[in-house]
Amino acid sequence: MLSLVLGLWGVRREGSMWRDEVVTYDMARRSLPDLWATLAGVDAVHGLYYLFLHGLFRVFDGVDPLLVLRLPSVLATAAAAGTLALLGRCLAGPRAGLLAGVVFAWLPPVQRYAQEGRSYALVCALVVWASYLLVRAVRRRTGRAWAAYGSVVLAACLLHEFAVLALAAHLVALPRADRRAGALVALAVCAGLAPLVVLSTRQSDQVAWIGGIGAGALAGFVGVSVLGLACAALLRGGGRSREGMGITTLALPLLVLPALLLLLVSLVKPLYVDRYVLYGQAGTALLVGAALDRLVRAAGRIRTVAVLAAGTAVLALLPITLQLRVPQSRTDNVVAIAEAVRAVGADADGVVFMPSRRRVWSLPDPDSVRGLRDLALDGGPVASHTLYGTEAPAAVIRARMLATARVLAVGDPAGEPLDRVPQEAVKRRVLATYFVACRSRHVQGARITVYARPGHC
Protein backbone atom coordinates (compact mmCIF):
# COMPACT_ATOMS: atom_id res chain seq x y z
CA MET A 1 0.00 0.00 0.00
CA LEU A 2 2.85 2.40 0.78
CA SER A 3 4.47 1.72 -2.57
CA LEU A 4 1.15 2.15 -4.36
CA VAL A 5 0.49 5.49 -2.66
CA LEU A 6 4.00 6.74 -3.46
CA GLY A 7 3.62 5.59 -7.07
CA LEU A 8 0.28 7.32 -7.60
CA TRP A 9 1.40 10.53 -5.89
CA GLY A 10 2.23 12.99 -8.68
CA VAL A 11 2.35 10.24 -11.30
CA ARG A 12 1.58 12.66 -14.17
CA ARG A 13 4.50 14.96 -13.23
CA GLU A 14 2.54 18.04 -14.29
CA GLY A 15 1.81 16.48 -17.69
CA SER A 16 5.48 16.21 -18.66
CA MET A 17 7.18 13.37 -20.50
CA TRP A 18 10.87 12.71 -21.14
CA ARG A 19 12.57 11.35 -24.23
CA ASP A 20 12.72 7.64 -23.28
CA GLU A 21 9.03 7.65 -22.44
CA VAL A 22 8.31 9.29 -25.78
CA VAL A 23 9.98 6.34 -27.52
CA THR A 24 7.74 3.96 -25.57
CA TYR A 25 4.67 6.03 -26.39
CA ASP A 26 5.49 6.20 -30.08
CA MET A 27 6.43 2.52 -30.44
CA ALA A 28 3.43 1.25 -28.48
CA ARG A 29 1.02 3.23 -30.66
CA ARG A 30 2.34 1.93 -33.98
CA SER A 31 0.39 -0.75 -35.79
CA LEU A 32 1.54 -4.31 -35.15
CA PRO A 33 3.05 -4.72 -38.65
CA ASP A 34 4.98 -1.45 -38.25
CA LEU A 35 6.06 -2.41 -34.75
CA TRP A 36 7.31 -5.83 -35.85
CA ALA A 37 9.19 -4.31 -38.76
CA THR A 38 10.83 -1.73 -36.50
CA LEU A 39 11.87 -4.30 -33.88
CA ALA A 40 13.60 -6.32 -36.58
CA GLY A 41 16.03 -3.43 -37.01
CA VAL A 42 16.17 -1.60 -33.69
CA ASP A 43 15.23 -1.77 -29.99
CA ALA A 44 14.38 -5.48 -29.96
CA VAL A 45 15.60 -5.58 -26.36
CA HIS A 46 12.41 -3.67 -25.41
CA GLY A 47 10.17 -5.47 -27.89
CA LEU A 48 8.11 -7.48 -25.42
CA TYR A 49 7.47 -4.39 -23.34
CA TYR A 50 6.35 -2.41 -26.39
CA LEU A 51 3.95 -5.21 -27.35
CA PHE A 52 2.54 -5.19 -23.82
CA LEU A 53 2.01 -1.41 -23.91
CA HIS A 54 0.54 -1.70 -27.42
CA GLY A 55 -2.15 -3.96 -26.01
CA LEU A 56 -2.83 -1.60 -23.10
CA PHE A 57 -3.24 1.42 -25.39
CA ARG A 58 -5.70 -0.55 -27.49
CA VAL A 59 -7.74 -1.66 -24.49
CA PHE A 60 -7.67 1.76 -22.77
CA ASP A 61 -8.06 3.94 -25.84
CA GLY A 62 -9.31 7.37 -24.76
CA VAL A 63 -7.79 7.17 -21.27
CA ASP A 64 -5.10 9.71 -20.32
CA PRO A 65 -2.03 8.33 -22.14
CA LEU A 66 0.30 9.30 -19.31
CA LEU A 67 -1.65 7.04 -16.96
CA VAL A 68 -1.67 4.16 -19.44
CA LEU A 69 2.06 4.66 -19.89
CA ARG A 70 3.02 4.79 -16.20
CA LEU A 71 0.46 2.81 -14.20
CA PRO A 72 2.00 -0.56 -15.15
CA SER A 73 5.23 0.58 -13.50
CA VAL A 74 3.36 1.81 -10.43
CA LEU A 75 1.56 -1.50 -10.02
CA ALA A 76 4.68 -3.54 -10.73
CA THR A 77 6.62 -1.65 -8.05
CA ALA A 78 3.84 -2.18 -5.53
CA ALA A 79 3.83 -5.89 -6.36
CA ALA A 80 7.62 -5.98 -5.99
CA ALA A 81 7.42 -4.33 -2.56
CA GLY A 82 4.84 -6.85 -1.36
CA THR A 83 6.75 -9.82 -2.74
CA LEU A 84 9.95 -8.52 -1.19
CA ALA A 85 8.20 -8.41 2.18
CA LEU A 86 7.23 -12.07 1.74
CA LEU A 87 10.80 -12.93 0.73
CA GLY A 88 12.22 -11.14 3.76
CA ARG A 89 9.69 -12.95 5.97
CA CYS A 90 10.89 -16.31 4.64
CA LEU A 91 14.55 -15.49 5.17
CA ALA A 92 14.62 -13.40 8.33
CA GLY A 93 11.19 -13.19 9.94
CA PRO A 94 7.98 -11.10 9.68
CA ARG A 95 9.33 -7.78 10.93
CA ALA A 96 12.45 -7.97 8.78
CA GLY A 97 10.25 -8.67 5.76
CA LEU A 98 7.93 -5.78 6.54
CA LEU A 99 10.85 -3.39 7.00
CA ALA A 100 12.45 -4.60 3.75
CA GLY A 101 9.25 -3.86 1.84
CA VAL A 102 8.96 -0.40 3.40
CA VAL A 103 12.62 0.41 2.69
CA PHE A 104 12.22 -0.74 -0.92
CA ALA A 105 9.20 1.49 -1.46
CA TRP A 106 11.12 4.53 -0.17
CA LEU A 107 14.37 4.03 -2.10
CA PRO A 108 14.77 6.99 -4.53
CA PRO A 109 15.68 4.88 -7.62
CA VAL A 110 12.64 2.69 -6.99
CA GLN A 111 10.37 5.72 -6.62
CA ARG A 112 11.76 7.19 -9.83
CA TYR A 113 11.21 4.19 -12.07
CA ALA A 114 7.86 3.43 -10.47
CA GLN A 115 6.64 6.49 -12.38
CA GLU A 116 8.24 5.96 -15.78
CA GLY A 117 6.85 4.38 -18.91
CA ARG A 118 9.78 2.00 -19.36
CA SER A 119 10.30 -1.67 -18.56
CA TYR A 120 12.62 -1.37 -15.56
CA ALA A 121 9.97 -1.54 -12.82
CA LEU A 122 8.37 -4.61 -14.41
CA VAL A 123 11.76 -6.31 -14.72
CA CYS A 124 12.48 -5.51 -11.08
CA ALA A 125 9.14 -7.01 -9.99
CA LEU A 126 9.83 -10.20 -11.94
CA VAL A 127 13.34 -10.54 -10.50
CA VAL A 128 11.96 -10.14 -6.97
CA TRP A 129 9.28 -12.73 -7.72
CA ALA A 130 11.92 -15.06 -9.17
CA SER A 131 14.03 -14.62 -6.02
CA TYR A 132 11.05 -15.68 -3.91
CA LEU A 133 10.46 -18.68 -6.17
CA LEU A 134 14.14 -19.57 -5.89
CA VAL A 135 13.87 -19.80 -2.11
CA ARG A 136 10.78 -21.96 -2.52
CA ALA A 137 12.54 -24.20 -5.06
CA VAL A 138 15.46 -24.71 -2.66
CA ARG A 139 13.02 -25.68 0.06
CA ARG A 140 10.82 -28.02 -2.01
CA ARG A 141 13.39 -29.37 -4.51
CA THR A 142 10.76 -30.41 -7.05
CA GLY A 143 10.87 -30.05 -10.81
CA ARG A 144 7.71 -27.96 -10.77
CA ALA A 145 9.22 -25.45 -8.32
CA TRP A 146 12.39 -25.09 -10.40
CA ALA A 147 10.33 -24.73 -13.60
CA ALA A 148 8.28 -21.94 -12.03
CA TYR A 149 11.46 -20.14 -11.03
CA GLY A 150 13.02 -20.53 -14.47
CA SER A 151 9.88 -19.31 -16.25
CA VAL A 152 9.77 -16.07 -14.27
CA VAL A 153 13.50 -15.44 -14.74
CA LEU A 154 13.10 -15.97 -18.48
CA ALA A 155 10.16 -13.54 -18.58
CA ALA A 156 12.31 -10.92 -16.84
CA CYS A 157 15.15 -11.50 -19.32
CA LEU A 158 12.82 -11.23 -22.30
CA LEU A 159 11.60 -7.87 -20.98
CA HIS A 160 15.22 -6.70 -20.68
CA GLU A 161 18.11 -9.04 -21.34
CA PHE A 162 20.35 -7.58 -18.63
CA ALA A 163 18.05 -9.29 -16.12
CA VAL A 164 20.19 -12.34 -16.87
CA LEU A 165 22.76 -10.82 -14.50
CA ALA A 166 20.33 -11.54 -11.66
CA LEU A 167 20.58 -15.18 -12.64
CA ALA A 168 24.31 -15.03 -11.90
CA ALA A 169 23.57 -13.62 -8.44
CA HIS A 170 21.04 -16.39 -7.80
CA LEU A 171 23.54 -19.08 -8.75
CA VAL A 172 26.09 -17.67 -6.31
CA ALA A 173 23.47 -17.66 -3.55
CA LEU A 174 22.45 -21.31 -3.96
CA PRO A 175 23.43 -23.92 -1.37
CA ARG A 176 25.87 -26.51 -2.68
CA ALA A 177 23.23 -29.23 -2.90
CA ASP A 178 21.10 -27.15 -5.26
CA ARG A 179 23.73 -25.80 -7.62
CA ARG A 180 23.29 -28.53 -10.20
CA ALA A 181 19.54 -27.89 -10.48
CA GLY A 182 20.18 -24.14 -10.57
CA ALA A 183 22.77 -24.54 -13.32
CA LEU A 184 20.35 -26.57 -15.45
CA VAL A 185 17.68 -23.91 -15.07
CA ALA A 186 20.23 -21.22 -15.94
CA LEU A 187 21.18 -23.09 -19.13
CA ALA A 188 17.52 -23.38 -20.11
CA VAL A 189 16.96 -19.66 -19.49
CA CYS A 190 20.02 -18.73 -21.55
CA ALA A 191 18.84 -20.99 -24.37
CA GLY A 192 15.44 -19.28 -24.35
CA LEU A 193 17.08 -15.86 -24.32
CA ALA A 194 19.64 -16.62 -27.04
CA PRO A 195 17.52 -15.51 -30.06
CA LEU A 196 16.93 -12.09 -28.48
CA VAL A 197 20.63 -11.76 -27.63
CA VAL A 198 21.62 -12.52 -31.22
CA LEU A 199 19.12 -10.02 -32.59
CA SER A 200 19.98 -7.26 -30.13
CA THR A 201 23.71 -7.75 -30.73
CA ARG A 202 23.10 -6.78 -34.34
CA GLN A 203 21.43 -3.61 -33.06
CA SER A 204 24.28 -2.56 -30.77
CA ASP A 205 24.52 0.88 -32.39
CA GLN A 206 21.50 1.95 -30.33
CA VAL A 207 23.61 1.90 -27.14
CA ALA A 208 26.46 3.87 -28.72
CA TRP A 209 25.33 6.89 -26.67
CA ILE A 210 26.50 5.22 -23.44
CA GLY A 211 29.79 6.73 -22.37
CA GLY A 212 32.49 5.39 -20.10
CA ILE A 213 31.97 4.78 -16.41
CA GLY A 214 31.50 8.19 -14.81
CA ALA A 215 32.65 9.15 -11.35
CA GLY A 216 29.04 9.57 -10.22
CA ALA A 217 28.03 6.09 -11.35
CA LEU A 218 31.07 4.54 -9.73
CA ALA A 219 30.53 6.45 -6.49
CA GLY A 220 26.89 5.37 -6.41
CA PHE A 221 27.82 1.72 -6.85
CA VAL A 222 30.53 1.89 -4.20
CA GLY A 223 28.28 3.71 -1.73
CA VAL A 224 25.41 1.24 -2.03
CA SER A 225 27.82 -1.72 -1.89
CA VAL A 226 29.43 -0.38 1.30
CA LEU A 227 25.97 0.04 2.84
CA GLY A 228 25.12 -3.55 1.90
CA LEU A 229 28.39 -4.88 3.30
CA ALA A 230 27.88 -2.96 6.54
CA CYS A 231 24.40 -4.45 6.93
CA ALA A 232 25.75 -7.92 6.11
CA ALA A 233 28.43 -7.50 8.78
CA LEU A 234 25.77 -6.55 11.33
CA LEU A 235 23.77 -9.65 10.40
CA ARG A 236 26.75 -12.00 10.54
CA GLY A 237 26.02 -15.17 12.46
CA GLY A 238 22.38 -15.25 11.43
CA GLY A 239 23.04 -18.46 9.48
CA ARG A 240 20.80 -19.97 6.86
CA SER A 241 17.05 -20.11 7.26
CA ARG A 242 15.14 -23.35 7.26
CA GLU A 243 14.75 -22.86 3.48
CA GLY A 244 18.49 -23.37 3.16
CA MET A 245 19.34 -19.75 2.33
CA GLY A 246 20.16 -16.81 4.55
CA ILE A 247 19.15 -13.26 3.82
CA THR A 248 22.72 -12.09 3.30
CA THR A 249 23.42 -15.16 1.15
CA LEU A 250 20.80 -14.00 -1.35
CA ALA A 251 20.60 -10.24 -0.88
CA LEU A 252 24.30 -9.34 -1.02
CA PRO A 253 24.99 -11.03 -4.39
CA LEU A 254 21.78 -9.51 -5.79
CA LEU A 255 22.91 -6.06 -4.69
CA VAL A 256 26.54 -6.27 -5.82
CA LEU A 257 27.02 -8.83 -8.56
CA PRO A 258 24.76 -7.60 -11.44
CA ALA A 259 26.09 -4.03 -11.22
CA LEU A 260 29.67 -5.23 -10.80
CA LEU A 261 29.48 -7.50 -13.85
CA LEU A 262 28.01 -4.70 -15.96
CA LEU A 263 30.75 -2.34 -14.77
CA LEU A 264 33.43 -4.87 -15.73
CA VAL A 265 31.89 -5.38 -19.18
CA SER A 266 31.82 -1.60 -19.59
CA LEU A 267 35.61 -1.51 -19.38
CA VAL A 268 35.54 -3.13 -22.84
CA LYS A 269 32.19 -1.95 -24.23
CA PRO A 270 30.40 0.87 -22.34
CA LEU A 271 27.03 -0.53 -21.24
CA TYR A 272 26.64 0.52 -17.60
CA VAL A 273 23.46 2.45 -16.82
CA ASP A 274 22.17 2.07 -13.28
CA ARG A 275 18.55 1.56 -14.32
CA TYR A 276 19.55 -1.56 -16.26
CA VAL A 277 20.18 -3.25 -12.89
CA LEU A 278 17.45 -1.52 -10.89
CA TYR A 279 16.50 -4.88 -9.39
CA GLY A 280 19.69 -4.75 -7.33
CA GLN A 281 17.80 -2.32 -5.08
CA ALA A 282 15.85 -5.34 -3.84
CA GLY A 283 19.07 -6.62 -2.31
CA THR A 284 19.64 -3.25 -0.66
CA ALA A 285 16.15 -3.28 0.85
CA LEU A 286 16.47 -6.85 2.15
CA LEU A 287 19.76 -6.10 3.88
CA VAL A 288 18.67 -2.77 5.35
CA GLY A 289 15.34 -4.22 6.48
CA ALA A 290 17.01 -7.16 8.23
CA ALA A 291 19.63 -4.88 9.79
CA LEU A 292 16.93 -2.57 11.14
CA ASP A 293 15.13 -5.58 12.56
CA ARG A 294 18.32 -6.67 14.29
CA LEU A 295 18.82 -3.18 15.74
CA VAL A 296 15.22 -2.99 16.94
CA ARG A 297 15.57 -6.34 18.70
CA ALA A 298 18.83 -5.22 20.27
CA ALA A 299 17.36 -1.92 21.52
CA GLY A 300 15.00 -2.22 24.45
CA ARG A 301 12.31 0.23 23.50
CA ILE A 302 11.03 -1.21 20.28
CA ARG A 303 8.31 1.34 19.61
CA THR A 304 10.50 4.36 20.28
CA VAL A 305 13.36 3.09 18.14
CA ALA A 306 11.03 2.11 15.29
CA VAL A 307 9.25 5.45 15.26
CA LEU A 308 12.46 7.45 15.42
CA ALA A 309 14.10 5.40 12.66
CA ALA A 310 11.06 5.67 10.40
CA GLY A 311 10.69 9.40 11.01
CA THR A 312 14.36 10.09 10.37
CA ALA A 313 14.32 8.10 7.11
CA VAL A 314 11.18 9.81 5.85
CA LEU A 315 12.52 13.29 6.63
CA ALA A 316 15.87 12.52 5.01
CA LEU A 317 14.28 11.24 1.80
CA LEU A 318 11.40 13.71 1.60
CA PRO A 319 13.27 16.37 -0.46
CA ILE A 320 14.29 13.72 -3.00
CA THR A 321 10.78 12.29 -3.02
CA LEU A 322 9.33 15.72 -3.79
CA GLN A 323 11.95 16.42 -6.47
CA LEU A 324 11.19 13.17 -8.30
CA ARG A 325 7.63 14.33 -8.94
CA VAL A 326 8.41 17.50 -10.88
CA PRO A 327 9.38 17.74 -14.58
CA GLN A 328 12.86 19.01 -13.68
CA SER A 329 13.76 15.59 -12.24
CA ARG A 330 14.27 14.13 -15.72
CA THR A 331 16.79 14.86 -18.47
CA ASP A 332 14.32 16.82 -20.55
CA ASN A 333 10.68 17.82 -20.76
CA VAL A 334 9.32 17.04 -24.20
CA VAL A 335 6.08 18.96 -23.62
CA ALA A 336 7.97 22.17 -22.71
CA ILE A 337 10.30 21.68 -25.68
CA ALA A 338 7.35 21.36 -28.08
CA GLU A 339 5.83 24.57 -26.72
CA ALA A 340 9.14 26.41 -27.12
CA VAL A 341 9.54 25.14 -30.68
CA ARG A 342 6.07 26.37 -31.55
CA ALA A 343 6.76 29.82 -30.05
CA VAL A 344 10.33 30.39 -31.24
CA GLY A 345 9.96 28.91 -34.69
CA ALA A 346 6.75 30.65 -35.72
CA ASP A 347 8.44 32.48 -38.64
CA ALA A 348 11.00 29.80 -39.58
CA ASP A 349 10.90 27.97 -42.91
CA GLY A 350 12.63 24.72 -42.01
CA VAL A 351 13.84 22.74 -39.01
CA VAL A 352 16.89 20.60 -38.26
CA PHE A 353 17.29 18.33 -35.26
CA MET A 354 20.79 18.23 -33.84
CA PRO A 355 21.46 15.33 -33.42
CA SER A 356 18.86 13.48 -35.44
CA ARG A 357 17.68 11.38 -32.47
CA ARG A 358 16.26 14.57 -30.95
CA ARG A 359 13.53 14.29 -33.57
CA VAL A 360 11.88 12.22 -30.86
CA TRP A 361 10.90 15.53 -29.23
CA SER A 362 8.40 16.19 -32.02
CA LEU A 363 6.70 12.77 -31.98
CA PRO A 364 4.07 13.34 -29.24
CA ASP A 365 3.08 16.74 -30.67
CA PRO A 366 3.62 16.85 -34.46
CA ASP A 367 1.78 20.19 -34.58
CA SER A 368 4.80 21.87 -32.97
CA VAL A 369 6.71 21.58 -36.27
CA ARG A 370 3.77 21.61 -38.65
CA GLY A 371 4.49 23.89 -41.57
CA LEU A 372 8.26 23.53 -41.14
CA ARG A 373 10.16 21.39 -43.60
CA ASP A 374 12.42 18.88 -41.89
CA LEU A 375 15.54 19.72 -43.89
CA ALA A 376 17.48 16.56 -43.00
CA LEU A 377 14.70 14.00 -43.09
CA ASP A 378 14.78 11.25 -45.67
CA GLY A 379 12.22 8.81 -44.21
CA GLY A 380 9.93 9.33 -41.21
CA PRO A 381 10.16 7.06 -38.15
CA VAL A 382 7.15 4.91 -39.04
CA ALA A 383 7.81 4.78 -42.78
CA SER A 384 11.47 3.87 -42.28
CA HIS A 385 10.76 1.45 -39.40
CA THR A 386 13.19 3.28 -37.12
CA LEU A 387 12.95 5.17 -33.83
CA TYR A 388 13.85 8.63 -35.12
CA GLY A 389 13.63 8.43 -38.92
CA THR A 390 16.46 8.31 -41.44
CA GLU A 391 18.38 11.32 -42.72
CA ALA A 392 19.45 12.31 -46.22
CA PRO A 393 23.13 12.32 -47.25
CA ALA A 394 25.21 15.25 -46.01
CA ALA A 395 25.33 16.91 -49.45
CA VAL A 396 21.54 16.88 -49.72
CA ILE A 397 21.14 18.36 -46.23
CA ARG A 398 23.62 21.11 -47.09
CA ALA A 399 21.73 22.04 -50.28
CA ARG A 400 18.39 22.12 -48.50
CA MET A 401 19.71 24.32 -45.69
CA LEU A 402 21.33 26.78 -48.12
CA ALA A 403 18.04 27.04 -50.00
CA THR A 404 16.18 27.97 -46.81
CA ALA A 405 15.97 31.53 -45.53
CA ARG A 406 15.32 30.87 -41.86
CA VAL A 407 16.27 27.62 -40.11
CA LEU A 408 15.03 26.47 -36.73
CA ALA A 409 17.69 24.37 -34.98
CA VAL A 410 16.42 22.10 -32.21
CA GLY A 411 19.24 20.43 -30.30
CA ASP A 412 21.07 19.66 -27.12
CA PRO A 413 22.25 22.38 -24.75
CA ALA A 414 25.84 23.60 -25.02
CA GLY A 415 28.42 21.27 -23.57
CA GLU A 416 26.84 18.00 -24.72
CA PRO A 417 28.98 15.58 -26.79
CA LEU A 418 28.79 16.20 -30.55
CA ASP A 419 27.99 13.41 -32.99
CA ARG A 420 30.73 13.05 -35.59
CA VAL A 421 28.67 11.54 -38.41
CA PRO A 422 28.74 13.54 -41.71
CA GLN A 423 25.10 14.64 -41.47
CA GLU A 424 25.57 16.21 -38.04
CA ALA A 425 28.88 17.81 -39.01
CA VAL A 426 27.38 19.46 -42.10
CA LYS A 427 24.45 20.89 -40.09
CA ARG A 428 26.84 22.58 -37.68
CA ARG A 429 29.17 23.77 -40.43
CA VAL A 430 26.45 25.33 -42.60
CA LEU A 431 24.86 27.15 -39.66
CA ALA A 432 28.22 28.48 -38.48
CA THR A 433 29.36 29.58 -41.95
CA TYR A 434 26.27 30.93 -43.68
CA PHE A 435 23.81 31.85 -40.88
CA VAL A 436 23.66 33.93 -37.74
CA ALA A 437 21.62 33.21 -34.62
CA CYS A 438 18.63 35.53 -34.35
CA ARG A 439 17.04 34.36 -31.12
CA SER A 440 17.32 31.38 -28.88
CA ARG A 441 15.47 29.80 -26.01
CA HIS A 442 16.82 27.31 -23.52
CA VAL A 443 14.38 24.90 -21.93
CA GLN A 444 15.04 21.86 -19.81
CA GLY A 445 17.32 19.58 -21.82
CA ALA A 446 17.19 21.51 -25.11
CA ARG A 447 18.23 24.64 -26.96
CA ILE A 448 15.95 26.05 -29.69
CA THR A 449 17.49 28.67 -32.00
CA VAL A 450 16.31 30.48 -35.14
CA TYR A 451 19.09 31.11 -37.69
CA ALA A 452 18.92 33.48 -40.67
CA ARG A 453 21.28 34.90 -43.26
CA PRO A 454 23.40 37.83 -42.00
CA GLY A 455 21.38 41.04 -41.88
CA HIS A 456 17.99 39.25 -42.11
CA CYS A 457 17.19 38.60 -38.47
Side-chain angles (χ1 to χ4, degrees), residues 134-216:
L134 177 68
V135 172
R136 192 175 69 168
V138 168
R139 183 183 68 207
R140 295 184 178 181
R141 290 176 175 163
T142 64
R144 180 174 295 182
W146 283 108
Y149 162 70
S151 299
V152 175
V153 172
L154 180 58
C157 294
L158 292 175
L159 270 175
H160 196 284
E161 61 190 23
F162 285 163
V164 75
L165 299 175
L167 188 60
H170 288 165
L171 289 175
V172 169
L174 282 175
R176 187 182 300 275
D178 297 286
R179 288 176 185 170
R180 184 175 181 274
L184 290 175
V185 172
L187 288 174
V189 170
C190 291
L193 183 61
L196 177 61
V197 172
V198 172
L199 181 57
S200 62
T201 300
R202 297 173 183 170
Q203 303 173 358
S204 59
D205 285 348
Q206 73 183 79
V207 292
W209 61 270
I210 301 176
I213 303 169

Side-chain angles (χ1 to χ4, degrees), residues 379-435:
V382 176
S384 62
H385 303 308
T386 61
L387 297 181
Y388 315 116
T390 56
E391 298 214 325
V396 174
I397 296 174
R398 181 180 187 277
R400 290 176 180 175
M401 292 178 70
L402 291 176
T404 305
R406 302 174 72 82
V407 176
L408 179 67
V410 182
D412 290 334
E416 292 294 314
L418 300 177
D419 287 20
R420 302 298 178 185
V421 297
Q423 288 93 333
E424 300 303 330
V426 79
K427 294 174 192 175
R428 295 192 295 267
R429 187 164 55 249
V430 169
L431 290 176
T433 305
Y434 299 101
F435 291 82

Side-chain angles (χ1 to χ4, degrees), residues 276-335:
Y276 293 169
V277 288
L278 176 67
Y279 51 81
Q281 299 294 334
T284 306
L286 284 170
L287 289 167
V288 173
L292 288 174
D293 175 51
R294 175 69 62 87
L295 291 173
V296 166
R297 282 191 281 120
R301 304 173 180 177
I302 293 177
R303 289 186 180 179
T304 303
V305 172
V307 170
L308 287 176
T312 301
V314 169
L315 290 176
L317 292 176
L318 189 57
I320 301 174
T321 298
L322 294 171
Q323 173 64 20
L324 288 172
R325 285 156 178 81
V326 298
Q328 292 74 21
S329 62
R330 270 52 174 189
T331 301
D332 52 11
N333 180 355
V334 174
V335 175

Side-chain angles (χ1 to χ4, degrees), residues 46-67:
H46 295 296
L48 182 60
Y49 179 68
Y50 293 150
L51 288 169
F52 170 63
L53 264 293
H54 175 86
L56 286 184
F57 275 111
R58 298 240 348 197
V59 171
F60 297 102
D61 185 34
V63 178
D64 183 346
L66 284 178
L67 295 182

Side-chain angles (χ1 to χ4, degrees), residues 75-77 79-81 83 104 120-130 152 156 279:
L75 297 175
T77 304
T83 307
F104 180 80
Y120 309 113
L122 275 71
V123 172
C124 184
L126 288 173
V127 170
V128 172
W129 185 17
V152 175
Y279 51 81

